[in-house]
Amino acid sequence: MASLRQRKGSRGKEASPAAEEKSYFHVPAGDWSWGAIIWTSVGWSVSVGLGLLCSIYVATLHENDLWFSNIKEVEREISFRTECGLYYSYYKQMLQAPSIQEGLSELIHDNLTESRRTINLLQRMNIYQEVFLSILYRLLPLQAYLEPVYFYIYTVFSLQAVYVIALYLTAWLLSGSWLAGTLTGVWYILNRVDTTRVEFTISLRENWSLPFFALQVTAITCYLRPQLSTFQQVMVWLMYVTTLCFCLTWQFNQFILLVQALVIYTLDCGDLLTTTQVTTLYLVQVSGLLSVWLLQFCNSMILGSLALSFVVAALFVRHWQVSVCLKRIYKALQLRSDEHIFKFIKSKFALGPTRDFDASLYLCEEAFGRLPLDTMERLAGTLLLYPYIPTVLLLSGTLAVAVLHNLRYVVRGEDGETYVAYNLLHTVLYGLLAFSTMRMKYIWTGHMCAVAAYGVCGTELWTLLLRLRFVRYAVPLLMMGWLYYKFWPKLMEELSELREFYDPDTVELMTWISTKTPKQAVFAGSMQLLAGIKLCTGRVLTNHPHYEDKDLRERTRQVYQVYARRSPEEVHGILRAVGADYMVLENSICYERRHRRGCRLRDLLDLANGHIMDGPGENDPDLIPASHPRFCEAIKTDAEAYTALFTKTFQNKTFYVYRLKKKRKKSAKTNK
């Protein structure tokens, strides 16, 4: 990053030795020697090999953990837990439709996902990937050779190969050596616990989107690298396509792009980007978001997203020196779909009330808590953390000096290693995001591997520390040798462990629902279970895990009153109002012990209802004792007040299913 200090007037100066070294991504005309071609070809081959290795690795872990190839179809579908099952159900629904056109029509006019409502699933949810795969499976001659479920999961696992290749190329671009890419791929695989969870959450939106995001970062790095100026137009289109795919496949895209926009804005404030570069990067984000807005039938959540509002404001400020009030844009659009995210953020940082039910659902989940310290211990165990920290510190110091120099001499630079500065700020800001919210670590840790590998193999860093070129190649080779010696036996042991899917109670429940209830029956219950019911049985739901809708969140809170202290008449009225025919109660929720007091679902409901919580411990002074027992416990007593409204139709060790009776209308008698 030393060349960040070069200005317009310094173009004629001789380049530093570090800048002269070729990356083999771009070789000037007449410089295509056989050695360069062979060396570059080897680098590309290694990237593909590492990508395929990672893909096969996670696919094998998935097979070994569930014995997926040998279990029944219903067990395979149950293995798609929580929202994963909901997303996969639309892939299954498209394949079962008489035609592609009818399948699309069913998704656009869906009345199975939310009872008594017709919703456009392509507008509400990010399920274009399921639509695309189902159409592809129909058109390709694969039916005789590959089951639909394998086509789906193999596609997701293949995206892991794309992810690794993208990180590999980013490290190669940063350091000028594909050895850095190799080290990046090795670290990504060895730190699998902290870099991906694809093997047990296949359908999760992040597993579709993050490979495209990594490709976008690679394209940005290439675009900002001055030695590769001939590829800039291609990179702009690649940035747009990858941004589009990233945004189209994950509902949280706006928050990720907002952080990226802050990276661009910071570089712009430090005079590290040209006007063309800043405008191009912003317009790529805007065009990607607006394209998704159109594809999702003008989804207002995208149009009023913080990312889009910030980028538009930044462009206005930059070009016309006028301010835009983001809050007014947000209010003008009357957006309510993602307000639960802002409640969560306010509650997380103690900026607002913590009794809000929606915010508490997130706050009480481990995935939305702070990054555990044992994560850093695992990253240090693979040697990833040790080069990463000094690399970030050294680059941060160099960047600070460059920014101060740029601000002192108010001339915008056009040369220099802005691509390194971009990746530095990228890893710092997403690292802070990961530390604040554990689920976001998967955005950070993959890129962290590339930055650490750059620290080990980067030309500039070794030039600053030691002018012995052979060290630059010896150190990564020695590190990979040590990693092989330490972790290869563990990987082989992990791959040899064989388990089997076992959930007889859920299998029994799904089988009973499929065979003993009407096809149009409406089921009420927990979001996680209902997603599985839709996938396995095709029955109608009252609520589901895709939480980005205000009305659905309110409906979910009402349905969850079955676990609160409410009278049977109140619960019956609530469930009837949403059209429920059956209610499924789970012992794991009614008698929950997984969370601490105050974070159990029944506690969140008690707090939202103003009731004192169960068990020993303090309660806020404004809470009062409930006038009714807990519904999910009291209904099992078969008291007359409950049997008059609910009939038990199924029971096993885990689940209780009740059919709702229709209330008898009292006939008014008139005496004449």
Side-chain angles (χ1 to χ4, degrees):
M1 286 180 61
S3 56
L4 277 169
R5 305 173 83 181
Q6 294 176 2
R7 321 308 299 164
K8 285 184 178 179
S10 65
R11 284 186 180 183
K13 294 182 181 179
E14 188 176 347
S16 65
E20 289 179 351
E21 188 163 344
K22 300 181 184 68
S23 69
Y24 294 114
F25 264 83
H26 172 65
V27 181
D31 228 15
W32 282 99
S33 65
W34 281 108
I37 293 173
I38 293 172
W39 188 245
T40 304
S41 300
V42 171
W44 280 98
S45 301
V46 172
S47 74
V48 174
L50 279 171
L52 291 175
L53 179 64
C54 180
S55 179
I56 295 169
Y57 175 50
V58 293
T60 305
L61 289 176
H62 175 260
E63 168 64 24
N64 290 355
D65 190 51
L66 300 174
W67 202 7
F68 199 76
S69 60
N70 198 60
I71 57 179
K72 297 183 291 186
E73 185 66 22
V74 65
E75 293 175 314
R76 288 178 178 177
E77 291 179 347
I78 292 171
S79 72
F80 288 88
R81 301 287 187 181
T82 64
E83 60 186 289
C84 297
L86 181 68
Y87 298 133
Y88 181 77
S89 72
Y90 300 122
Y91 171 74
K92 178 182 176 182
Q93 182 177 328
M94 279 289 295
L95 291 177
Q96 291 177 342
S99 66
I100 294 174
Q101 292 78 7
E102 289 184 52
L104 288 171
S105 178
E106 289 175 2
L107 294 181
I108 294 172
H109 306 94
D110 178 86
N111 54 13
L112 300 177
T113 304
E114 295 177 17
S115 57
R116 295 188 174 179
R117 291 177 183 169
T118 299
I119 60 175
N120 185 343
L121 291 169
L122 294 181
Q123 181 188 53
R124 177 83 72 81
M125 302 185 189
N126 299 72
I127 58 169
Y128 267 98
Q129 51 267 53
E130 278 74 24
V131 173
F132 175 75
L133 274 193
S134 63
I135 294 174
L136 202 61
Y137 186 79
R138 279 175 173 269
L139 298 178
L140 296 176
L142 297 172
Q143 289 83 352
Y145 310 102
L146 194 65
E147 296 177 60
V149 65
Y150 278 107
F151 182 65
Y152 186 91
I153 66 174
Y154 286 166
T155 301
V156 179
F157 291 145
S158 298
L159 284 174
Q160 284 296 298
V162 175
Y163 198 176
V164 170
I165 292 172
L167 295 173
Y168 181 105
L169 295 178
T170 299
W172 191 354
L173 282 165
L174 287 171
S175 66
S177 169
W178 58 258
L179 281 177
T182 306
L183 191 56
T184 299
V186 170
W187 266 330
Y188 182 89
I189 295 171
L190 293 181
N191 291 283
R192 173 188 57 81
V193 174
D194 297 302
T195 55
T196 182
R197 48 179 174 168
V198 66
E199 73 274 13
F200 61 90
T201 58
I202 294 174
S203 304
L204 211 60
R205 303 297 83 178
E206 67 189 46
N207 295 326
W208 289 92
S209 64
L210 290 185
F212 294 112
F213 187 60
L215 273 177
Q216 186 230 40
V217 173
T218 303
I220 291 175
T221 305
C222 191
Y223 171 74
L224 295 178
R225 182 159 180 152
Q227 297 95 326
L228 304 175
S229 57
T230 54
F231 295 109
Q232 282 194 346
Q233 289 301 318
V234 177
M235 289 303 109
V236 170
W237 280 105
L238 182 58
M239 284 189 289
Y240 166 73
V241 172
T242 51
T243 302
L244 171 63
C245 293
F246 166 70
C247 294
L248 195 61
T249 52
W250 197 13
Q251 68 269 28
F252 292 146
N253 59 72
Q254 59 159 308
F255 303 104
I256 309 305
L257 287 187
L258 175 62
V259 176
Q260 188 177 66
L262 289 172
V263 172
I264 299 169
Y265 183 77
T266 304
L267 291 173
D268 186 25
C269 290
D271 279 348
L272 300 176
L273 295 174
T274 65
T275 300
T276 301
Q277 289 173 332
V278 174
T279 305
T280 300
L281 292 174
Y282 279 149
L283 288 179
V284 163
Q285 287 194 332
V286 170
S287 56
L289 286 168
L290 290 180
S291 299
V292 174
W293 174 68
L294 290 173
L295 287 170
Q296 290 197 290
F297 297 81
C298 303
N299 188 328
S300 60
M301 182 176 170
I302 298 171
L303 195 61
S305 66
L306 284 178
L308 189 58
S309 302
F310 178 85
V311 171
V312 171
L315 285 171
F316 267 85
V317 169
R318 195 177 204 290
H319 292 281
W320 291 284
Q321 298 299 317
V322 297
S323 61
V324 176
C325 183
L326 306 186
K327 193 171 182 180
R328 287 180 183 175
I329 294 176
Y330 189 84
K331 285 187 174 180
L333 292 167
Q334 296 183 339
L335 299 177
R336 302 183 302 166
S337 298
D338 56 354
E339 67 179 8
H340 63 300
I341 301 295
F342 299 107
K343 290 180 181 178
F344 161 70
I345 294 172
K346 287 181 179 179
S347 299
K348 185 176 182 66
F349 297 103
L351 300 175
T354 56
R355 274 195 200 173
D356 182 81
F357 179 76
D358 298 325
S360 298
L361 277 179
Y362 285 99
L363 287 170
C364 287
E365 286 299 323
E366 184 182 3
F368 291 92
R370 290 185 176 86
L371 190 70
L373 291 178
D374 61 354
T375 303
M376 309 311 291
E377 294 176 5
R378 289 192 298 271
L379 296 176
T382 59
L383 303 182
L384 174 60
L385 197 62
Y386 297 119
Y388 175 78
I389 292 176
T391 299
V392 169
L393 292 176
L394 182 61
L395 291 178
S396 298
T398 308
L399 177 62
V401 172
V403 169
L404 290 174
H405 183 276
N406 289 355
L407 294 177
R408 183 180 178 185
Y409 303 100
V410 190
V411 184
R412 187 169 298 275
E414 295 184 359
D415 297 320
E417 297 172 15
T418 53
Y419 63 97
V420 178
Y422 171 83
N423 281 274
L424 170 64
L425 292 177
H426 181 103
T427 193
V428 169
L429 290 187
Y430 285 106
L432 293 174
L433 183 64
F435 274 95
S436 68
T437 307
M438 188 183 74
R439 183 175 178 178
M440 296 301 168
K441 73 175 179 179
Y442 301 104
I443 305 171
W444 174 55
T445 47
H447 188 261
M448 179 186 184
C449 296
V451 172
Y454 165 61
V456 174
C457 306
T459 306
E460 295 82 2
L461 296 177
W462 282 111
T463 302
L464 289 172
L465 298 175
L466 196 62
R467 290 188 176 273
L468 297 176
R469 183 174 295 184
F470 77 91
V471 177
R472 179 188 170 208
Y473 300 102
V475 171
L477 290 174
L478 288 172
M479 291 183 71
M480 284 188 280
W482 184 85
L483 291 172
Y484 175 85
Y485 172 77
K486 183 176 180 180
F487 289 99
W488 182 256
K490 293 182 180 180
L491 288 178
M492 292 300 99
E493 182 181 354
E494 184 181 32
L495 291 172
S496 65
E497 292 179 0
L498 302 177
R499 303 182 184 89
E500 182 178 356
F501 176 87
Y502 185 75
D503 191 354
D505 289 349
T506 307
V507 171
E508 185 184 12
L509 172 67
M510 299 302 176
T511 304
W512 179 85
I513 292 174
S514 297
T515 57
K516 302 296 183 182
T517 63
K519 289 187 177 180
Q520 294 302 315
V522 180
F523 278 79
S526 70
M527 296 183 290
Q528 295 80 3
L529 180 64
L530 290 183
I533 288 177
K534 185 183 187 308
L535 171 58
C536 298
T537 71
R539 299 305 188 261
V540 185
L541 312 180
T542 57
N543 52 301
H544 54 81
H546 196 275
Y547 220 45
E548 277 61 52
D549 180 76
K550 182 176 176 61
D551 293 332
L552 176 67
R553 292 195 294 272
E554 177 57 28
R555 176 183 278 204
T556 298
R557 191 179 68 84
Q558 290 297 320
V559 170
Y560 276 6
Q561 297 302 312
V562 298
Y563 297 107
R565 292 187 176 100
R566 302 294 287 267
S567 69
E569 292 79 14
E570 288 175 312
V571 172
H572 187 273
I574 289 170
L575 297 181
R576 270 298 177 196
V578 296
D581 299 312
Y582 292 87
M583 167 187 66
V584 185
L585 297 178
E586 301 170 62
N587 287 340
S588 59
I589 298 179
C590 190
Y591 307 107
E592 183 183 359
R593 295 180 180 178
R594 184 169 68 94
H595 290 103
R596 58 179 172 80
R597 184 178 185 268
C599 267
R600 300 168 298 189
L601 179 60
R602 62 180 187 268
D603 296 335
L604 301 183
L605 291 165
D606 287 342
L607 290 171
N609 294 337
H611 296 155
I612 292 174
M613 295 183 290
D614 284 343
E618 295 182 357
N619 290 283
D620 291 340
D622 61 324
L623 299 177
I624 61 173
S627 56
H628 300 282
R630 194 165 303 283
F631 177 84
C632 63
E633 297 176 357
I635 193 174
K636 297 171 186 175
T637 63
D638 293 330
E640 184 179 352
Y642 296 90
T643 56
L645 299 172
F646 304 92
T647 301
K648 184 164 61 179
T649 55
F650 175 86
Q651 173 188 348
N652 62 21
K653 291 184 295 183
T654 305
F655 305 104
Y656 286 76
V657 181
Y658 293 87
R659 180 172 55 82
L660 277 70
K661 294 181 180 179
K662 292 183 179 179
K663 274 190 176 181
R664 296 177 182 176
K665 294 183 179 179
K666 295 180 180 179
S667 57
K669 296 181 180 180
T670 57
N671 297 323
K672 295 184 179 180

